[in-house]
Amino acid sequence: MPRRAEPPARRATVRDVAARAGVSPGTVSKALNGTGQISRATRERILAAAQEVDFRPNALARSVFERRSYTVGLITTDSFERFSVPVMLGAEDALGAGRISVFMCDSRDDPIREKHYVDVLLGRRVDGFIVTGRIFNEREPLDVSPGVPVVYALTPSSDPGDCSIVVDDAAAGRVAGEHLIRLGRRRIGHITGSAWFDPARKRAAGLAEALGAAGLEVAGDPLYGDWTEAWGRQATHILLRSCPEVDAIYCGSDILARGVGDSLRELGRRVPEDVALIGTDNWEFIAGGARPPLTSVDLGLSTVGRLAARRLLEAIGGNSHAGKEYVPCRLVVRGSTDDLPHVSTGSAS
């Protein structure tokens, strides 16, 4: 005779938790949602009771009750994902603790595509947006419905009333310059990317500030060009023709520094004995694989993501922020400047 199918186990409810903890269902709801004036002992008893009866909140009912979807949209323009992935991982670290899901959409620098994604996510009633990208210049504010909070990460909003979490590019140049000065380098050149890229100019200004404080100047003018190894190689030849006495070079990216290192070897210059070399980004794949390993400025991209997520959660809760907030950078020292690895922290401006 076939066995009768066992009826599915009944899902525990708020009333089950209340009965177990000896409180009212309303008190259970407040404890689980983190609201209301409840003593620590009562809250702990309720949480323990919820675990004992295997209570699992119904996400849909919770979202309807609290008028929240517990989802956020992350809009990126970084098709290569070189910069947006660390930001996204940092944001997920912060949001995951609150069991909030992230919808990531790549607009590929296309305004029409971006508007489509925004409309789709608004249709899903996301609680807010984080906007990021590989271009750190200011951008137009996201076109969203009134009252929907938006936080910008890496790529700041042109509206000073918006909340933007950005890296401290000027500090990156200062930290690199100060480290080279401590090593006794006095003829320091600078090779970087496009001059229209705001961080490139800020890093150059930070380097000049550090050198100026020591009574020094950048060797030659900062050399602006493409963010490529090819430009790093070409710029090295240009720099050494005009300033053959150069004993250190700070680069605006690790990719550039790899090209610089290639040309230095071709020209018979030893790194770091003859020329100390520093990059920017602390891209482990590049910096750790270089020979010698590359000293680099870490811009704190995952910290940018975590802080952006926290600011978004605060805005969703009614406590919004405005203006730019800078994340400190840190110098990761490797063999291209020093045989003894250590970390030096740069202060936010």
Side-chain angles (χ1 to χ4, degrees):
M1 182 176 179
R3 294 180 58 188
R4 293 182 57 188
E6 293 291 334
R10 186 178 70 85
R11 184 170 183 154
T13 67
V14 169
R15 292 186 180 278
D16 296 324
V17 178
R20 186 83 170 197
V23 297
S24 69
T27 302
V28 170
S29 296
K30 291 177 182 178
L32 297 180
N33 294 327
T35 60
Q37 299 295 321
I38 304 173
S39 71
R40 180 177 177 179
T42 300
R43 190 182 303 275
E44 290 177 352
R45 189 168 77 251
I46 291 171
L47 294 176
Q51 187 173 8
E52 290 168 3
V53 301
D54 194 25
F55 174 70
R56 300 177 183 180
N58 184 304
L60 178 61
R62 184 184 180 198
S63 65
V64 171
F65 176 74
E66 299 182 18
R67 297 184 179 180
R68 286 183 54 184
S69 66
Y70 290 90
T71 59
V72 301
L74 192 152
I75 303 291
T76 179
T77 61
D78 181 12
S79 300
F80 302 104
E81 300 183 350
R82 166 66 188 91
F83 299 102
S84 64
V85 166
V87 172
M88 180 188 70
L89 294 177
E92 284 192 329
D93 285 346
L95 294 171
R99 298 180 181 178
I100 295 178
S101 301
V102 180
F103 293 112
M104 181 176 176
C105 301
D106 182 2
S107 70
R108 305 177 194 174
D109 278 327
D110 182 348
I112 296 177
R113 184 184 293 269
E114 178 177 276
K115 185 179 187 309
H116 166 72
Y117 284 139
V118 170
D119 290 344
V120 168
L121 292 176
L122 288 174
R124 289 178 173 265
R125 303 182 65 82
V126 294
D127 296 326
F129 290 90
I130 295 174
V131 180
T132 187
R134 60 188 174 89
I135 303 300
F136 297 3
N137 292 9
E138 289 187 350
R139 55 153 292 156
E140 290 296 313
L142 200 67
D143 184 13
V144 297
S145 306
V148 176
V150 181
V151 174
Y152 300 82
L154 293 185
T155 306
S157 170
S158 59
D159 185 345
D162 289 333
C163 177
S164 298
I165 312 300
V166 296
V167 301
D168 195 339
D169 290 293
R174 287 198 302 271
V175 171
E178 289 165 358
H179 179 66
L180 293 171
I181 292 168
R182 283 195 299 272
L183 294 176
R185 310 293 171 143
R186 293 295 180 266
R187 295 172 293 279
I188 301 168
H190 183 41
I191 295 173
T192 190
S194 174
W196 71 265
F197 192 59
D198 289 345
R201 297 194 304 274
K202 292 176 181 177
R203 292 167 196 170
L207 175 65
E209 180 183 343
L211 298 184
L216 303 173
E217 294 182 351
V218 176
D221 294 325
L223 295 174
Y224 294 95
D226 297 327
W227 296 99
T228 62
E229 290 181 59
W231 168 241
R233 291 191 291 268
Q234 179 185 353
T236 303
H237 286 269
I238 295 172
L239 177 61
L240 293 182
R241 278 199 301 268
S242 61
C243 303
E245 72 284 2
V246 161
D247 60 10
I249 300 174
Y250 168 52
C251 299
S253 78
D254 292 343
I255 293 291
L256 286 168
R258 184 160 69 176
V260 171
D262 289 344
S263 283
L264 288 173
R265 282 190 293 273
E266 292 169 1
L267 295 168
R269 303 292 183 98
R270 297 171 302 165
V271 177
E273 293 86 351
D274 301 324
V275 180
L277 182 60
I278 296 181
T280 307
D281 295 330
N282 192 34
W283 191 1
E284 182 62 34
F285 175 74
I286 300 296
R291 290 293 177 266
L294 178 66
T295 293
S296 184
V297 182
D298 190 311
L299 300 175
L301 301 186
S302 60
T303 302
V304 170
R306 285 193 294 271
L307 184 55
R310 287 200 294 268
R311 294 293 178 259
L312 181 61
L313 290 175
E314 290 166 359
I316 292 171
N319 181 24
S320 59
H321 297 256
K324 293 179 182 176
E325 190 168 351
Y326 292 87
V327 169
C329 60
R330 64 190 182 103
L331 185 70
V332 179
V333 180
R334 299 187 179 92
S336 67
T337 63
D338 194 332
D339 292 332
L340 300 175
H342 63 279
V343 174
S344 173
T345 302
S347 60
S349 62

